[in-house]
Amino acid sequence: MQRPTTVKGWLAFPLVLLVRGYQLLISPLLPQSCRYYPSCSAYAVTSLERFGPLKGTWLAGHRLLRCNPWSAGGVDHVPSRWEDRPRFGRPRTEDRHTH
C-alpha cells in the first residue's frame, strides 16, 4: 500500500483501508467469483489511489456493476487518465477504432 502524498490521496486513504480490510478479512472466506483481472477489490484500491475518493469510488462502483454472471470478464486495468474511463454503452478510448 502506497503512502498518500497528495490531498486527494489522504482523503482516499480511509477508503483504501476499508478495501484492504475486506481483502484480508472477508475475501479469504468467500469463493473466488470476480470475472476480471485484476480483481474488483484490487481495481478499487488502484482507482482510489490514482483518482482520489470521488472519481476512484465512481470507477470502482462502475467496475462492480460490470462484474456479474452475464459479463464475459477479462483483463480490465484502471485507466491511466480519467478521460479513458469506461462508460456505459461506450467503449474506452483505446478500444475505439479510429479510421
Side-chain angles (χ1 to χ4, degrees):
M1 182 164 46
Q2 298 176 9
R3 182 181 174 142
T5 57
T6 63
V7 172
K8 72 178 180 181
W10 280 106
L11 293 173
F13 191 67
L15 296 173
V16 171
L17 287 178
L18 284 173
V19 176
R20 292 284 192 199
Y22 164 81
Q23 289 175 325
L24 292 171
L25 302 173
I26 298 171
S27 182
L29 303 174
L30 302 172
Q32 283 198 303
S33 61
C34 190
R35 297 177 171 276
Y36 288 100
Y37 176 83
S39 69
C40 291
S41 60
Y43 186 98
V45 169
T46 303
S47 67
L48 289 165
E49 289 176 343
R50 187 170 293 168
F51 292 106
L54 297 177
K55 291 179 179 179
T57 299
W58 186 93
L59 284 171
H62 185 258
R63 169 67 175 275
L64 287 172
L65 290 174
R66 290 184 285 133
C67 190
N68 60 65
W70 302 278
S71 171
V75 176
D76 179 36
H77 294 288
V78 176
S80 55
R81 300 178 322 140
W82 179 250
E83 294 77 20
D84 296 334
R85 71 192 181 277
R87 299 178 186 169
F88 288 108
R90 292 181 56 199
R92 288 196 219 178
T93 304
E94 66 265 12
D95 294 338
R96 293 186 207 146
H97 297 288
T98 54
H99 299 278

